[in-house]
mmCIF file of all heavy atoms in Angstrom:
data_model
loop_
_atom_site.group_PDB
_atom_site.id
_atom_site.type_symbol
_atom_site.label_atom_id
_atom_site.label_comp_id
_atom_site.label_asym_id
_atom_site.label_seq_id
_atom_site.Cartn_x
_atom_site.Cartn_y
_atom_site.Cartn_z
ATOM 1 N N ARG B 1217 93.478 83.145 131.960
ATOM 2 C CA ARG B 1217 94.126 83.569 133.206
ATOM 3 C C ARG B 1217 95.629 83.630 133.012
ATOM 4 O O ARG B 1217 96.211 82.697 132.446
ATOM 5 C CB ARG B 1217 93.796 82.590 134.345
ATOM 6 C CG ARG B 1217 92.308 82.408 134.628
ATOM 7 C CD ARG B 1217 91.616 83.731 134.957
ATOM 8 N NE ARG B 1217 92.219 84.404 136.063
ATOM 9 C CZ ARG B 1217 91.761 84.345 137.309
ATOM 10 N NH1 ARG B 1217 90.665 83.666 137.584
ATOM 11 N NH2 ARG B 1217 92.372 84.999 138.274
ATOM 12 N N THR B 1218 96.250 84.671 133.511
ATOM 13 C CA THR B 1218 97.700 84.829 133.373
ATOM 14 C C THR B 1218 98.450 83.653 133.989
ATOM 15 O O THR B 1218 99.486 83.238 133.478
ATOM 16 C CB THR B 1218 98.138 86.153 134.034
ATOM 17 O OG1 THR B 1218 97.397 87.210 133.427
ATOM 18 C CG2 THR B 1218 99.617 86.400 133.847
ATOM 19 N N SER B 1219 97.917 83.098 135.079
ATOM 20 C CA SER B 1219 98.596 82.002 135.764
ATOM 21 C C SER B 1219 97.916 80.665 135.479
ATOM 22 O O SER B 1219 96.699 80.552 135.536
ATOM 23 C CB SER B 1219 98.590 82.257 137.275
ATOM 24 O OG SER B 1219 98.938 81.078 137.954
ATOM 25 N N PRO B 1220 98.727 79.620 135.197
ATOM 26 C CA PRO B 1220 98.136 78.294 134.967
ATOM 27 C C PRO B 1220 97.510 77.723 136.230
ATOM 28 O O PRO B 1220 96.748 76.762 136.162
ATOM 29 C CB PRO B 1220 99.330 77.451 134.517
ATOM 30 C CG PRO B 1220 100.529 78.128 135.077
ATOM 31 C CD PRO B 1220 100.197 79.599 135.092
ATOM 32 N N TYR B 1221 97.841 78.327 137.371
ATOM 33 C CA TYR B 1221 97.333 77.781 138.642
ATOM 34 C C TYR B 1221 96.013 78.436 139.043
ATOM 35 O O TYR B 1221 95.427 78.071 140.046
ATOM 36 C CB TYR B 1221 98.392 77.961 139.734
ATOM 37 C CG TYR B 1221 99.743 77.413 139.311
ATOM 38 C CD1 TYR B 1221 100.867 78.231 139.272
ATOM 39 C CD2 TYR B 1221 99.881 76.078 138.921
ATOM 40 C CE1 TYR B 1221 102.099 77.731 138.849
ATOM 41 C CE2 TYR B 1221 101.110 75.569 138.505
ATOM 42 C CZ TYR B 1221 102.207 76.410 138.470
ATOM 43 O OH TYR B 1221 103.418 75.915 138.047
ATOM 44 N N ASP B 1222 95.547 79.446 138.293
ATOM 45 C CA ASP B 1222 94.280 80.110 138.624
ATOM 46 C C ASP B 1222 93.105 79.349 138.005
ATOM 47 O O ASP B 1222 93.251 78.615 137.033
ATOM 48 C CB ASP B 1222 94.295 81.558 138.108
ATOM 49 C CG ASP B 1222 95.171 82.469 138.977
ATOM 50 O OD1 ASP B 1222 95.550 82.040 140.085
ATOM 51 O OD2 ASP B 1222 95.488 83.587 138.533
ATOM 52 N N PHE B 1223 91.936 79.561 138.566
ATOM 53 C CA PHE B 1223 90.679 78.958 138.107
ATOM 54 C C PHE B 1223 90.447 79.270 136.629
ATOM 55 O O PHE B 1223 90.478 80.434 136.220
ATOM 56 C CB PHE B 1223 89.539 79.519 138.972
ATOM 57 C CG PHE B 1223 88.163 79.081 138.540
ATOM 58 C CD1 PHE B 1223 87.816 77.735 138.478
ATOM 59 C CD2 PHE B 1223 87.191 80.036 138.206
ATOM 60 C CE1 PHE B 1223 86.538 77.349 138.085
ATOM 61 C CE2 PHE B 1223 85.924 79.651 137.821
ATOM 62 C CZ PHE B 1223 85.585 78.311 137.748
ATOM 63 N N GLN B 1224 90.236 78.222 135.828
ATOM 64 C CA GLN B 1224 90.156 78.412 134.374
ATOM 65 C C GLN B 1224 88.708 78.417 133.862
ATOM 66 O O GLN B 1224 88.483 78.375 132.650
ATOM 67 C CB GLN B 1224 90.973 77.331 133.660
ATOM 68 C CG GLN B 1224 92.393 77.122 134.210
ATOM 69 C CD GLN B 1224 93.460 77.986 133.527
ATOM 70 O OE1 GLN B 1224 93.405 78.185 132.331
ATOM 71 N NE2 GLN B 1224 94.395 78.511 134.297
ATOM 72 N N GLY B 1225 87.752 78.496 134.757
ATOM 73 C CA GLY B 1225 86.348 78.558 134.332
ATOM 74 C C GLY B 1225 85.682 77.184 134.365
ATOM 75 O O GLY B 1225 86.353 76.159 134.411
ATOM 76 N N LEU B 1226 84.337 77.199 134.314
ATOM 77 C CA LEU B 1226 83.573 75.938 134.345
ATOM 78 C C LEU B 1226 83.530 75.273 132.973
ATOM 79 O O LEU B 1226 83.007 74.176 132.827
ATOM 80 C CB LEU B 1226 82.137 76.198 134.817
ATOM 81 C CG LEU B 1226 81.927 76.510 136.290
ATOM 82 C CD1 LEU B 1226 80.430 76.625 136.584
ATOM 83 C CD2 LEU B 1226 82.550 75.432 137.171
ATOM 84 N N LYS B 1227 84.028 75.979 131.956
ATOM 85 C CA LYS B 1227 84.101 75.452 130.583
ATOM 86 C C LYS B 1227 82.733 75.016 130.040
ATOM 87 O O LYS B 1227 81.760 75.770 130.166
ATOM 88 C CB LYS B 1227 85.158 74.350 130.521
ATOM 89 C CG LYS B 1227 86.519 74.895 130.999
ATOM 90 C CD LYS B 1227 87.610 73.860 131.069
ATOM 91 C CE LYS B 1227 88.874 74.529 131.644
ATOM 92 N NZ LYS B 1227 89.964 73.585 131.832
ATOM 93 N N ALA B 1228 82.654 73.812 129.469
ATOM 94 C CA ALA B 1228 81.402 73.368 128.836
ATOM 95 C C ALA B 1228 80.213 73.495 129.794
ATOM 96 O O ALA B 1228 79.122 73.933 129.411
ATOM 97 C CB ALA B 1228 81.553 71.923 128.365
ATOM 98 N N GLU B 1229 80.426 73.160 131.032
ATOM 99 C CA GLU B 1229 79.354 73.261 132.021
ATOM 100 C C GLU B 1229 78.887 74.718 132.171
ATOM 101 O O GLU B 1229 77.694 74.984 132.334
ATOM 102 C CB GLU B 1229 79.865 72.737 133.368
ATOM 103 C CG GLU B 1229 78.777 72.543 134.407
ATOM 104 C CD GLU B 1229 79.370 72.373 135.810
ATOM 105 O OE1 GLU B 1229 80.529 71.881 135.917
ATOM 106 O OE2 GLU B 1229 78.694 72.773 136.787
ATOM 107 N N GLY B 1230 79.850 75.639 132.108
ATOM 108 C CA GLY B 1230 79.513 77.065 132.198
ATOM 109 C C GLY B 1230 78.602 77.493 131.055
ATOM 110 O O GLY B 1230 77.652 78.262 131.242
ATOM 111 N N ILE B 1231 78.890 76.993 129.859
ATOM 112 C CA ILE B 1231 78.051 77.339 128.706
ATOM 113 C C ILE B 1231 76.641 76.767 128.899
ATOM 114 O O ILE B 1231 75.636 77.440 128.615
ATOM 115 C CB ILE B 1231 78.702 76.846 127.394
ATOM 116 C CG1 ILE B 1231 79.995 77.667 127.153
ATOM 117 C CG2 ILE B 1231 77.740 76.982 126.212
ATOM 118 C CD1 ILE B 1231 80.674 77.429 125.835
ATOM 119 N N GLN B 1232 76.551 75.559 129.438
ATOM 120 C CA GLN B 1232 75.231 74.985 129.728
ATOM 121 C C GLN B 1232 74.438 75.880 130.668
ATOM 122 O O GLN B 1232 73.249 76.127 130.465
ATOM 123 C CB GLN B 1232 75.377 73.575 130.356
ATOM 124 C CG GLN B 1232 75.565 72.472 129.327
ATOM 125 C CD GLN B 1232 74.602 72.610 128.141
ATOM 126 O OE1 GLN B 1232 73.388 72.746 128.301
ATOM 127 N NE2 GLN B 1232 75.145 72.640 126.915
ATOM 128 N N LEU B 1233 75.095 76.365 131.710
ATOM 129 C CA LEU B 1233 74.413 77.226 132.685
ATOM 130 C C LEU B 1233 73.945 78.524 132.024
ATOM 131 O O LEU B 1233 72.846 79.018 132.304
ATOM 132 C CB LEU B 1233 75.334 77.518 133.870
ATOM 133 C CG LEU B 1233 75.659 76.298 134.751
ATOM 134 C CD1 LEU B 1233 76.685 76.665 135.832
ATOM 135 C CD2 LEU B 1233 74.388 75.750 135.424
ATOM 136 N N LEU B 1234 74.769 79.058 131.138
ATOM 137 C CA LEU B 1234 74.367 80.273 130.413
ATOM 138 C C LEU B 1234 73.134 80.000 129.556
ATOM 139 O O LEU B 1234 72.197 80.810 129.504
ATOM 140 C CB LEU B 1234 75.519 80.770 129.519
ATOM 141 C CG LEU B 1234 76.642 81.518 130.241
ATOM 142 C CD1 LEU B 1234 77.883 81.619 129.361
ATOM 143 C CD2 LEU B 1234 76.171 82.929 130.647
ATOM 144 N N LEU B 1235 73.113 78.843 128.890
ATOM 145 C CA LEU B 1235 71.973 78.513 128.027
ATOM 146 C C LEU B 1235 70.700 78.352 128.849
ATOM 147 O O LEU B 1235 69.611 78.754 128.427
ATOM 148 C CB LEU B 1235 72.277 77.255 127.212
ATOM 149 C CG LEU B 1235 73.382 77.447 126.138
ATOM 150 C CD1 LEU B 1235 73.750 76.107 125.494
ATOM 151 C CD2 LEU B 1235 72.939 78.446 125.076
ATOM 152 N N GLU B 1236 70.847 77.782 130.033
ATOM 153 C CA GLU B 1236 69.665 77.655 130.913
ATOM 154 C C GLU B 1236 69.156 79.028 131.345
ATOM 155 O O GLU B 1236 67.946 79.282 131.369
ATOM 156 C CB GLU B 1236 70.016 76.816 132.145
ATOM 157 C CG GLU B 1236 70.075 75.321 131.821
ATOM 158 C CD GLU B 1236 70.511 74.490 133.027
ATOM 159 O OE1 GLU B 1236 70.046 74.782 134.159
ATOM 160 O OE2 GLU B 1236 71.329 73.570 132.835
ATOM 161 N N ALA B 1237 70.093 79.914 131.698
ATOM 162 C CA ALA B 1237 69.692 81.272 132.107
ATOM 163 C C ALA B 1237 69.004 81.992 130.955
ATOM 164 O O ALA B 1237 68.069 82.768 131.152
ATOM 165 C CB ALA B 1237 70.909 82.055 132.596
ATOM 166 N N LYS B 1238 69.508 81.746 129.736
ATOM 167 C CA LYS B 1238 68.888 82.336 128.541
ATOM 168 C C LYS B 1238 67.442 81.848 128.414
ATOM 169 O O LYS B 1238 66.520 82.637 128.157
ATOM 170 C CB LYS B 1238 69.697 81.924 127.302
ATOM 171 C CG LYS B 1238 69.117 82.397 125.976
ATOM 172 C CD LYS B 1238 69.909 81.822 124.797
ATOM 173 C CE LYS B 1238 69.238 82.164 123.473
ATOM 174 N NZ LYS B 1238 69.966 81.586 122.320
ATOM 175 N N LYS B 1239 67.253 80.543 128.609
ATOM 176 C CA LYS B 1239 65.910 79.966 128.493
ATOM 177 C C LYS B 1239 64.971 80.617 129.516
ATOM 178 O O LYS B 1239 63.846 80.998 129.216
ATOM 179 C CB LYS B 1239 65.976 78.452 128.710
ATOM 180 C CG LYS B 1239 64.796 77.705 128.085
ATOM 181 C CD LYS B 1239 64.855 76.201 128.344
ATOM 182 C CE LYS B 1239 66.051 75.557 127.649
ATOM 183 N NZ LYS B 1239 66.143 74.096 127.958
ATOM 184 N N GLN B 1240 65.481 80.782 130.739
ATOM 185 C CA GLN B 1240 64.650 81.326 131.818
ATOM 186 C C GLN B 1240 64.313 82.803 131.647
ATOM 187 O O GLN B 1240 63.216 83.242 131.979
ATOM 188 C CB GLN B 1240 65.363 81.146 133.154
ATOM 189 C CG GLN B 1240 65.094 79.783 133.777
ATOM 190 C CD GLN B 1240 65.378 79.826 135.263
ATOM 191 O OE1 GLN B 1240 66.474 80.194 135.654
ATOM 192 N NE2 GLN B 1240 64.397 79.475 136.083
ATOM 193 N N THR B 1241 65.295 83.578 131.165
ATOM 194 C CA THR B 1241 65.087 85.032 131.141
ATOM 195 C C THR B 1241 64.825 85.575 129.743
ATOM 196 O O THR B 1241 64.388 86.723 129.603
ATOM 197 C CB THR B 1241 66.347 85.758 131.665
ATOM 198 O OG1 THR B 1241 67.448 85.386 130.805
ATOM 199 C CG2 THR B 1241 66.669 85.361 133.088
ATOM 200 N N GLY B 1242 65.121 84.793 128.736
ATOM 201 C CA GLY B 1242 64.969 85.307 127.377
ATOM 202 C C GLY B 1242 66.120 86.179 126.915
ATOM 203 O O GLY B 1242 66.127 86.676 125.784
ATOM 204 N N LEU B 1243 67.117 86.405 127.772
ATOM 205 C CA LEU B 1243 68.252 87.255 127.384
ATOM 206 C C LEU B 1243 69.208 86.485 126.478
ATOM 207 O O LEU B 1243 69.652 85.391 126.831
ATOM 208 C CB LEU B 1243 69.049 87.709 128.614
ATOM 209 C CG LEU B 1243 68.453 88.778 129.519
ATOM 210 C CD1 LEU B 1243 69.393 89.022 130.706
ATOM 211 C CD2 LEU B 1243 68.220 90.086 128.767
ATOM 212 N N PRO B 1244 69.572 87.037 125.327
ATOM 213 C CA PRO B 1244 70.659 86.419 124.541
ATOM 214 C C PRO B 1244 71.950 86.441 125.361
ATOM 215 O O PRO B 1244 72.096 87.287 126.259
ATOM 216 C CB PRO B 1244 70.783 87.319 123.302
ATOM 217 C CG PRO B 1244 69.764 88.379 123.420
ATOM 218 C CD PRO B 1244 69.076 88.280 124.734
ATOM 219 N N ILE B 1245 72.863 85.545 125.042
ATOM 220 C CA ILE B 1245 74.088 85.442 125.846
ATOM 221 C C ILE B 1245 75.354 85.682 125.022
ATOM 222 O O ILE B 1245 75.408 85.402 123.837
ATOM 223 C CB ILE B 1245 74.191 84.060 126.545
ATOM 224 C CG1 ILE B 1245 74.179 82.929 125.512
ATOM 225 C CG2 ILE B 1245 73.068 83.898 127.563
ATOM 226 C CD1 ILE B 1245 74.380 81.549 126.129
ATOM 227 N N VAL B 1246 76.376 86.220 125.715
ATOM 228 C CA VAL B 1246 77.697 86.420 125.111
ATOM 229 C C VAL B 1246 78.733 85.784 126.029
ATOM 230 O O VAL B 1246 78.697 85.963 127.252
ATOM 231 C CB VAL B 1246 78.003 87.919 124.882
ATOM 232 C CG1 VAL B 1246 77.888 88.742 126.149
ATOM 233 C CG2 VAL B 1246 79.386 88.109 124.261
ATOM 234 N N THR B 1247 79.655 85.010 125.432
ATOM 235 C CA THR B 1247 80.715 84.377 126.234
ATOM 236 C C THR B 1247 81.934 84.157 125.350
ATOM 237 O O THR B 1247 81.839 84.147 124.125
ATOM 238 C CB THR B 1247 80.198 83.076 126.903
ATOM 239 O OG1 THR B 1247 81.129 82.658 127.908
ATOM 240 C CG2 THR B 1247 80.007 81.954 125.888
ATOM 241 N N GLU B 1248 83.102 84.039 126.004
ATOM 242 C CA GLU B 1248 84.387 84.065 125.281
ATOM 243 C C GLU B 1248 84.840 82.693 124.788
ATOM 244 O O GLU B 1248 84.749 81.702 125.522
ATOM 245 C CB GLU B 1248 85.471 84.656 126.206
ATOM 246 C CG GLU B 1248 86.847 84.715 125.544
ATOM 247 C CD GLU B 1248 87.863 85.526 126.329
ATOM 248 O OE1 GLU B 1248 87.490 86.181 127.324
ATOM 249 O OE2 GLU B 1248 89.043 85.511 125.939
ATOM 250 N N ILE B 1249 85.368 82.677 123.568
ATOM 251 C CA ILE B 1249 85.978 81.458 123.029
ATOM 252 C C ILE B 1249 87.497 81.610 123.107
ATOM 253 O O ILE B 1249 88.033 82.701 122.900
ATOM 254 C CB ILE B 1249 85.534 81.205 121.568
ATOM 255 C CG1 ILE B 1249 85.893 79.776 121.148
ATOM 256 C CG2 ILE B 1249 86.111 82.230 120.599
ATOM 257 C CD1 ILE B 1249 85.207 79.311 119.872
ATOM 258 N N MET B 1250 88.193 80.509 123.438
ATOM 259 C CA MET B 1250 89.656 80.591 123.515
ATOM 260 C C MET B 1250 90.340 79.582 122.616
ATOM 261 O O MET B 1250 91.558 79.571 122.510
ATOM 262 C CB MET B 1250 90.112 80.364 124.957
ATOM 263 C CG MET B 1250 89.821 81.541 125.863
ATOM 264 S SD MET B 1250 90.288 81.182 127.553
ATOM 265 C CE MET B 1250 92.038 80.836 127.391
#
Side-chain angles (χ1 to χ4, degrees):
Chain B
R1217 302 303 303 262
T1218 304
S1219 166
Y1221 308 121
D1222 285 347
F1223 175 58
Q1224 312 269 322
L1226 287 185
K1227 303 176 184 176
E1229 191 195 332
I1231 293 187
Q1232 277 316 309
L1233 293 175
L1234 282 164
L1235 292 173
E1236 283 176 41
K1238 176 186 174 182
K1239 203 182 294 177
Q1240 274 200 305
T1241 60
L1243 286 178
I1245 59 176
V1246 56
T1247 193
E1248 180 169 352
I1249 194 166
M1250 287 177 59

